Amino acid sequence: MMKKPALSLVLALLPLLAWGQLHRYDTGFNLSGTNFCDTIPLEVADNQLLLTVYIGGRPVKALLDTGSSQGVVFANRLPATLADLGAVVSRDANGQTDTIRAAQMPVFRLGNIGIEGYVVSIHGADRLNRKYQFVIGFDLFNKGLSGKIDTRNRRLILTDRRKHFEGEAGQRLKYKLKWFVPYLIVSPFIRHADEVLFDTGFRGLYTMNKQSFDKHAYKSKNVGSQVEAVVEGQSQIGLHGAEQLAEVAFLHLDRLQVGNFELQDVRAKTTSGSSKIGAELLQYGSVVLLPHRRTILFQPYGGGESVRVGNTVQQMAFVPKGDAVCVGLVNPMSDAYRAGFRQGDVVLEIDGRPIASFTQFLVFPFVKGQQHTFKLLGTDGQTRTVQSVR
């Protein structure tokens, strides 16, 4: 089955003099207890970290997204009661901004802790068929809580005790807050560093900002040897739409160094948005968030100094263009390209069924390993059919 486009959010709450009711970033929400350490079940679905919270005793799925500065809800999935807080300026990971509404969630329970006064931004209708109803952002940790994300044991350990994780081993990575979310330094090439957002809302392992990549490529011939293809395209969909059409490089890295730990044989691609290291990292180790030290502790499963990844990246991406579904990106070295897909193609039909919206495309019943027939409208105005195994 086709992977759904990764989604990632960074909320930047910027001062706007024109808005008298602009709601600024804060972590003023209240917790029902102190001196606690709670182990909360964590569901991992397609590299998304899902928590079950309870609103009025009713279970609701929430995405744990360290790339979002605070909570997010969608207009068609709102809780019954929200208290309006005025306007907020939202900046997504593709660098696009918009002014939207901020609101206060009703009281909800996460594990054994009640959370009151949690702030969320309200975005448009959910068009991506998400598996969750709202987002819990990095403000949970900016509040001062430490946490251990352990996907192998399917748990989040959350505590307000500053010394709870003292003495634990691992790669200590200092981070700095930009737009209230954590940025680390990793090394994609020898003697080269890249500032990355630690973003559990991004399903992949690593994506690199194209401008950052160009700077590295200019400095070192070794960089060019790790490029598989370069094309024009767009693949990531933020909360305010798809990233801008730009040059995209498909990369095959010898290693990606996180602290002193090496992730070897890594495939990635560039983006016009922020460089990110995402939830796929959690397949190789747990992560401890220590906000009072501005530190992330990466603990490789099984210890050791390296792991071979051998991952794949999305070779073709579909993006919304108005109500249409377009091929946003296709790797010229891929089976999809050889089958006949080209950047800019509009999907008209799949297996004889008209595709009238992006939502309709996302819920299409693709069958893994089965061949599907696409009717496409090319940029030359001509229609053609293409067969592809999903």
Side-chain angles (χ1 to χ4, degrees):
M1 178 176 280
M2 182 196 71
K3 285 191 175 182
K4 296 187 176 73
L7 176 70
S8 158
L9 164 71
V10 181
L11 290 179
L13 308 183
L14 310 174
L16 279 185
L17 299 178
W19 283 87
Q21 290 185 310
L22 185 71
H23 183 80
R24 296 179 183 273
Y25 182 83
D26 71 74
T27 55
F29 54 90
N30 298 313
L31 306 175
S32 63
T34 58
N35 193 29
F36 66 86
C37 181
D38 200 3
T39 299
I40 302 165
L42 181 67
E43 179 184 346
V44 182
D46 193 20
N47 280 349
Q48 292 187 314
L49 309 182
L50 303 178
L51 300 167
T52 299
V53 306
Y54 293 85
I55 301 176
R58 183 175 64 89
V60 173
K61 292 292 184 186
L63 174 73
L64 180 62
D65 184 358
T66 60
S68 174
S69 64
Q70 61 185 123
V72 177
V73 296
F74 302 95
N76 60 334
R77 309 186 80 175
L78 298 177
T81 56
L82 283 174
D84 186 80
L85 296 175
V88 62
V89 176
S90 166
R91 179 183 187 273
D92 71 15
N94 293 329
Q96 299 183 63
T97 60
D98 196 7
T99 303
I100 54 180
R101 306 303 296 175
Q104 195 174 85
M105 287 281 289
V107 176
F108 64 90
R109 182 167 62 83
L110 174 61
N112 294 313
I113 298 298
I115 299 179
E116 180 182 12
Y118 189 71
V119 175
V120 293
S121 59
I122 303 175
H123 290 260
D126 176 14
R127 300 181 64 189
L128 296 178
N129 197 31
R130 296 173 176 91
K131 298 176 181 177
Y132 51 89
Q133 292 177 263
F134 81 106
V135 169
I136 295 175
F138 199 69
D139 52 350
L140 184 69
F141 304 102
N142 284 339
K143 178 74 173 176
L145 302 183
S146 298
K148 183 173 186 174
I149 304 172
D150 181 358
T151 60
R152 175 170 287 186
N153 293 296
R154 298 294 195 267
R155 63 184 181 179
L156 168 67
I157 300 173
L158 198 63
T159 181
D160 65 345
R161 301 170 188 166
R162 286 194 170 194
K163 296 184 178 181
H164 182 80
F165 295 109
E166 291 289 337
E168 291 208 12
Q171 301 291 323
R172 293 188 176 270
L173 311 169
K174 299 296 289 185
Y175 69 81
K176 66 179 179 180
L177 291 176
K178 293 175 63 176
W179 306 296
F180 312 105
V181 287
Y183 280 78
L184 310 167
I185 299 296
V186 301
S187 174
F189 309 109
I190 295 173
R191 294 185 298 277
H192 293 266
D194 188 27
E195 185 180 65
V196 298
L197 170 64
F198 175 59
D199 181 5
T200 59
F202 169 53
R203 293 178 177 141
L205 176 60
Y206 175 62
T207 186
M208 188 175 190
N209 172 264
K210 183 57 166 55
Q211 289 182 321
S212 177
F213 168 79
D214 288 341
K215 290 178 182 178
H216 292 296
Y218 178 75
K219 295 176 182 178
S220 174
K221 293 180 180 179
N222 175 256
V223 174
S225 67
Q226 299 179 65
V227 176
E228 292 187 322
V230 179
V231 294
E232 287 274 315
Q234 53 188 157
S235 62
Q236 294 200 78
I237 304 174
L239 285 177
H240 306 310
E243 65 181 335
Q244 297 297 311
L245 182 67
E247 196 173 67
V248 177
F250 286 84
L251 308 176
H252 187 181
L253 305 178
D254 296 334
R255 95 293 186 266
L256 175 67
Q257 192 157 342
V258 179
N260 294 319
F261 187 79
E262 283 192 357
L263 298 152
Q264 299 172 350
D265 186 15
V266 172
R267 281 183 164 82
K269 63 179 184 284
T270 62
T271 174
S272 58
S274 300
S275 295
K276 296 186 286 288
I277 192 160
E280 191 176 327
L281 177 70
L282 298 167
Q283 294 181 11
Y284 306 102
S286 59
V287 164
V288 180
L289 299 162
L290 303 169
H292 58 289
R293 297 190 182 279
R294 296 281 175 91
T295 296
I296 291 176
L297 185 65
F298 176 61
Q299 301 175 310
Y301 294 129
E305 297 179 350
S306 65
V307 64
R308 183 183 178 279
V309 174
N311 64 328
T312 59
V313 295
Q314 187 181 29
Q315 299 295 301
M316 180 170 63
F318 295 92
V319 297
K321 187 175 181 180
D323 291 330
V325 179
C326 288
V327 176
L329 176 71
V330 58
N331 186 342
M333 307 296 290
S334 68
D335 290 341
Y337 189 91
R338 286 188 285 270
F341 287 97
R342 296 293 183 268
Q343 195 278 330
D345 287 344
V346 175
V347 178
L348 302 177
E349 297 178 0
I350 304 175
D351 295 340
R353 303 184 195 181
I355 302 298
S357 70
F358 196 69
T359 300
Q360 190 176 4
F361 171 78
L362 289 173
V363 299
F364 189 87
F366 290 108
V367 178
K368 185 175 181 179
Q370 179 175 309
Q371 184 170 273
H372 295 276
T373 300
F374 289 72
K375 184 177 180 180
L376 305 173
L377 175 64
T379 55
D380 59 1
Q382 301 298 310
T383 60
R384 65 186 188 281
T385 58
V386 173
Q387 293 185 327
S388 176
V389 177
R390 310 307 296 164

